Amino acid sequence: MNELTPRAASRHDAAMAASRHDAAMAASRHDAALAITGMTCAACVSRIEKVLLRRPGVVSATVSLPAERAEIAFDPDRTSLAELVEAVEDAGYGARPLDDGTDSQAGAAAAAELRATVITLAVAAVLTLPLVAGMVLMLVGSPWRVPPWLQLALATPVQFWAGARFYRGAWGALKGGGANMDVLVALGTTAAYGLSLFLVVTGSHASHGHLYFEAAALVITLVMAGKYLETRARRATNQAVEALIALRPETARVIAVDGGETVVGLEKLRRGDLVAVRPGERIPADGVVVEGRAAVDEAMVTGESLPQERGQGATVTGGTVNLDGFLKIQVAAIGAEAVLGRLIALVGHAQATKPRIQRLADTVAGWFAFFVLAVALLTLAAWLIGSGRFEPAILAAVSVLVVACPCALGLATPAVIAVALGAGARRGILIRDAEALESAYAVSVVVFDKTGTLTESRPELTDVVALDGDQTGLIRAAASIQHAASHPIARAVLEHAAGLGIQPLEVAAFRAEAGRGVRGTVGGRDLAMGNRAYMKQLGIPLAPLGPQVGTLERQGKAVVWIGSPGETPALVGLLGLADRLRPNAAQAVAALKRLGVTTVLLTGDAPAAAQATARRLGIERVIAGARPEDKIAEIERLQAAHEIVAMVGDGVNDGPALARANLGIAMGGGTDVALQAAAVGLIRDDPALVAGVLDLARAARRKIIQNLVWAFGFNTVAIPLAAVGLLGPVPAAIGMTVSSLAVVGNALALRRWQPGRGAAAGDKGKPRSGLARLVMPASGPAA
């Protein structure tokens, strides 16, 4: 038995201690999700996170504005979910627990909220229109004016009814010691309205000549219109989750003991139930086919574009579509335990996480409103001192308050993250959190395991050598002997024979020697098939094919001998078998090279087999015979050389390496250990998706940088313009709305992303540093 090196042993002891600590923490930790309503900007996000983190027992709290969701980890012995909901509500927001990590009410609630907003917006627009008309007529020199008391009557419901949402939001923020967009809008419009009200009540408008009711009303109407458009666009970033939820059928046909069918709601379905699925219907839950055969469309769940044949004994996934046959299915998993439920929860959780760059933006946004209030006060004071007039001072201050909204800053990153995660999920890439997406952008080396990752873990027949030159006869003999066997070599031989249209013959006196080979009589001839030791046991000479064997072994292929024991033992021929490459393995390596990423093959396989696989795929660097601790050591060596390492694997022995890498990527057909240790899961066993992960991360990074540059740039330019009087309240409100819509629209462009098309020429070269069972814990530590 191999012993651990001192360094590996130390690493093992540390890992065990950390594991025991994590287990103790996990035992007293509960994870929960809340649906949050009433958020308007990034300052709201920062406020809710602070409120939650101040609660005793809360370990972590992350809030997402686009997802309208909070992810919380807390100690249930010190606080409860009800208390957390109450804390959020006390801060002026709405909160609702998501029992299974999903929000089935979100769609209906969002639609109702948008309908109410449209009605309020329409009324506000109708009331504002006469005020705007009067302003336009004044600008073109017309003497006509809307009477002052009529202006007051039109502006008041806009200010205090349509604008009530801003006052509610402002009160909630100020009550909790914070400030947000609502505070800025409420202060700015109230100042303009209050000044106008004072002029009307005192009669000063007669000598003053102008009122500013239209400015206050128009700002409220424009901001409401902008928030409506922003909300619609923002919720479009969550279409991935909504599309997955829409895959759930509402009912299922349950088959009773007597064979009758009963249509029941999906919530009444139980494990072990038999359900009937007819052509064109969605499969209601995960299960196993017990009767029937059909082509099943799995595109929305796995990303696989072609329908898959599913017959008796095959597993099927809830939400997929039966295209052309009758299926009787025994339910194996439902609700949050099913693949679809886990996908929904995983994507929802990932959208609520934040990369490091967003945490910085949220910190800035949390103080941004206070900064703007200070600038507005300084602007007011400067204008009063400079001009001695209150009117231009208040207008400049109002413009500063209205134009400087933290919305664009707060949406710049989370909108991109939400769209990117959705785009990946639709194409078979599940990213556990935003930090994994951020790590993927910087990956410079991809380390592949071989067996089960680049290969299919099942051999294929590649070489046939017959001493008498009759390859067809040799294949027929081999298929005949192996016809009753079920091991991988037998399957490879039978598949090859079937592909050539060769029918096996009857075999008599069949017997198997465990670990050596098989023997039987085919066409009256005694034949044996097996390894070198079996041939030697039977006295069959191997020298006639010695040179060919050497060539095959240097290529890393397995050799199976075929001989005739008989009275005069004789060699008949041999077969060469190699591990079958996955169909897109070579394209995957080529795509990574085009992205400027180095590839490494790190495997526990024999050197000859590993080198042969690497040559077929175009991988230059190979490390063979690696044990789990060797894989960790190699990843650490690469990280010490300042490489950002992604590890791709599928087996139990890949788990530690997947956790240690900067980015762990698990193949969908892999073991639970691999899937749980990885930060990214590929629903399909397609290594070409690895390049897609990096490509998507780079495309998302570009969008984030574009959005942050725009958001910071807009505020840097707009606030000074407003402060010096070059940007009035109405243009300021329009500019603020355009700023928010611009970042969301730029993020939505990522929905068109396709694997292999997202990388621009500028991504080539080394990047700059900066599923069925896919319920994943934290990713590996950064180098």
Side-chain angles (χ1 to χ4, degrees):
M1 180 177 176
N2 294 318
E3 295 185 0
L4 294 175
T5 63
R7 182 183 180 189
S10 175
R11 230 175 8 244
H12 180 267
D13 292 342
M16 291 298 292
S19 178
R20 286 192 294 269
H21 177 266
D22 290 346
M25 291 291 292
S28 60
R29 168 175 163 157
H30 182 72
D31 295 322
L34 298 178
I36 306 293
T37 58
M39 293 189 293
T40 56
C41 65
C44 301
V45 171
S46 179
R47 172 72 190 134
I48 295 172
E49 288 181 346
K50 288 176 182 176
V51 165
L52 289 171
L53 289 170
R54 281 203 292 263
R55 295 292 308 175
V58 173
V59 179
S60 65
T62 305
V63 179
S64 169
L65 178 59
E68 297 178 310
R69 176 186 179 106
E71 294 277 340
I72 311 163
F74 65 95
D75 183 350
D77 294 331
R78 301 179 63 193
T79 191
S80 68
L81 192 57
E83 290 173 328
L84 297 177
V85 170
E86 184 180 355
V88 174
E89 290 175 342
D90 287 344
Y93 304 93
R96 184 175 65 255
L98 304 178
D99 295 334
D100 61 353
T102 66
D103 189 3
S104 57
Q105 305 174 40
E113 181 184 345
L114 286 176
R115 282 194 300 271
T117 301
V118 169
I119 294 171
T120 305
L121 179 58
V123 173
V126 169
L127 294 173
T128 303
L129 194 58
L131 298 173
V132 175
M135 179 183 67
V136 172
L137 289 172
M138 182 190 69
L139 292 175
V140 298
S142 171
W144 185 82
R145 300 284 188 275
V146 178
W149 289 100
L150 180 56
Q151 290 188 48
L152 175 61
L154 291 170
T156 299
V158 176
Q159 185 71 38
F160 298 107
W161 175 68
R165 55 170 289 176
F166 300 114
Y167 287 104
R168 286 194 298 268
W171 171 246
L174 293 172
K175 186 174 65 171
N180 60 6
M181 181 210 74
D182 295 323
V183 172
L184 303 181
V185 173
L187 276 177
T189 59
T190 302
Y193 177 89
L195 173 61
S196 301
L197 178 63
F198 172 79
L199 294 174
V200 171
V201 171
T202 61
S204 303
H205 64 279
S207 59
H208 189 271
H210 189 66
L211 300 174
Y212 300 99
F213 286 121
E214 83 283 344
L218 190 55
V219 165
I220 285 178
T221 303
L222 286 173
V223 172
M224 283 188 64
K227 296 306 293 181
Y228 167 73
L229 294 173
E230 177 192 312
T231 301
R232 286 193 59 176
R234 197 173 69 209
R235 284 176 177 156
T237 66
N238 295 319
Q239 283 184 345
V241 173
E242 292 174 3
L244 288 172
I245 293 174
L247 293 180
R248 288 173 166 169
E250 295 181 357
T251 59
R253 302 176 188 272
V254 177
I255 302 174
V257 177
D258 61 2
E261 295 181 9
T262 304
V263 177
V264 302
L266 206 62
E267 69 280 358
K268 296 182 179 179
L269 207 57
R270 296 292 180 265
R271 281 191 297 271
D273 284 348
L274 288 178
V275 296
V277 184
R278 293 184 169 81
E281 294 180 344
R282 288 196 181 276
I283 294 172
D286 295 2
V288 178
V289 177
V290 296
E291 183 182 316
R293 174 172 293 275
V296 177
D297 181 0
E298 301 178 346
M300 280 300 292
V301 175
T302 68
E304 177 61 58
S305 59
L306 297 176
Q308 304 297 302
E309 284 291 327
R310 296 289 182 254
Q312 187 172 356
T315 58
V316 290
T317 304
T320 56
V321 180
N322 174 6
L323 294 178
D324 61 4
F326 174 82
L327 293 176
K328 183 186 290 186
I329 299 167
Q330 185 171 41
V331 175
I334 55 175
E337 299 175 355
V339 169
L340 190 56
R342 281 197 286 263
L343 292 182
I344 293 168
L346 178 68
V347 176
H349 164 75
Q351 289 182 344
T353 61
K354 300 180 182 181
R356 289 182 292 272
I357 193 169
Q358 184 186 338
R359 296 184 190 279
L360 174 61
D362 282 354
T363 300
V364 173
W367 290 99
F368 187 75
F370 292 107
F371 167 75
V372 173
L373 288 171
V375 172
L377 288 174
L378 289 174
T379 299
L380 180 66
W383 275 88
L384 286 174
I385 294 171
S387 68
R389 297 172 57 211
F390 190 67
E391 175 194 350
I394 196 69
L395 286 179
V398 167
S399 298
V400 169
L401 291 171
V402 171
V403 78
C405 174
C407 298
L409 186 60
L411 287 169
T413 298
V416 173
I417 295 296
V419 176
L421 293 172
R426 286 193 298 272
R427 291 161 181 86
I429 298 169
L430 287 179
I431 300 173
R432 184 185 57 81
D433 56 28
E435 290 185 358
L437 192 66
E438 190 173 45
S439 298
Y441 155 77
V443 165
S444 57
V445 176
V446 173
V447 177
F448 284 102
D449 174 50
K450 182 179 83 72
T451 306
T453 302
L454 294 172
T455 66
E456 296 184 347
S457 297
R458 58 191 184 106
E460 63 176 338
L461 183 59
T462 58
D463 298 85
V464 179
V465 182
L467 271 179
D468 61 2
D470 182 9
Q471 292 187 350
T472 300
L474 185 65
I475 294 171
R476 178 176 285 108
S480 301
I481 300 172
Q482 297 286 2
H483 190 59
S486 59
H487 54 77
I489 289 178
R491 287 195 294 270
V493 171
L494 292 170
E495 284 178 8
H496 190 80
L500 296 175
I502 298 173
Q503 294 294 325
L505 302 174
E506 290 292 330
V507 60
F510 175 83
R511 54 193 182 277
E513 292 274 348
R516 289 179 176 263
V518 293
R519 183 174 177 178
T521 303
V522 178
R525 186 182 185 187
D526 188 13
L527 293 174
M529 180 176 177
N531 57 23
R532 185 187 297 269
Y534 192 36
M535 295 298 110
K536 288 184 176 180
Q537 175 187 321
L538 298 174
I540 297 173
L542 305 180
L545 292 179
Q548 289 89 334
V549 171
T551 300
L552 293 174
E553 289 180 341
R554 283 191 296 274
Q555 294 173 353
K557 295 181 179 180
V559 176
V560 178
W561 303 85
I562 301 174
S564 177
E567 294 182 3
T568 307
L571 184 64
V572 176
L574 60 81
L575 305 177
L577 296 101
D579 200 356
R580 187 192 305 265
L581 290 179
R582 293 198 180 277
N584 293 329
Q587 293 94 313
V589 174
L592 289 169
K593 288 183 176 180
R594 287 195 297 272
L595 290 173
V597 176
T598 302
T599 53
V600 177
L601 184 61
L602 181 60
T603 176
D605 229 345
Q611 290 287 352
T613 299
R615 281 194 298 271
R616 293 166 70 188
L617 296 175
I619 298 176
E620 292 87 6
R621 184 146 184 253
V622 180
I623 300 168
R627 297 169 297 180
E629 60 268 26
D630 298 327
K631 293 183 178 182
I632 293 176
E634 176 59 22
I635 287 173
E636 289 176 343
R637 191 196 67 75
L638 289 167
Q639 290 171 335
H642 307 292
E643 301 285 3
I644 306 299
V645 183
M647 173 73 194
V648 188
D650 77 315
V652 171
N653 63 342
D654 296 322
L658 288 167
R660 184 63 189 92
N662 301 92
L663 182 71
I665 303 177
M667 303 293 282
T671 64
D672 287 344
V673 172
L675 290 166
Q676 291 168 2
V680 177
L682 307 181
I683 298 180
R684 304 194 307 276
D685 288 328
D686 184 357
L689 291 177
V690 174
V693 174
L694 309 191
D695 192 17
L696 176 61
R698 295 182 184 191
R701 177 76 172 198
R702 286 195 302 275
K703 292 294 184 185
I704 289 172
I705 291 174
Q706 291 166 6
N707 280 356
L708 288 175
V709 168
W710 167 260
F712 278 110
F714 173 81
N715 284 299
T716 301
V717 173
I719 292 175
L721 289 177
V724 299
L726 296 178
L727 198 63
V730 172
I734 295 172
M736 182 269 289
T737 298
V738 170
S739 176
S740 296
L741 292 177
V743 296
V744 177
N746 191 41
L748 288 173
L750 260 184
R751 289 194 296 183
R752 297 191 297 269
W753 174 84
Q754 293 286 345
R757 290 192 343 198
D763 285 332
K764 293 183 179 180
K766 182 177 175 179
R768 296 179 297 273
S769 58
L771 130 189
R773 301 180 297 279
L774 209 57
V775 182
M776 305 178 183
S779 59

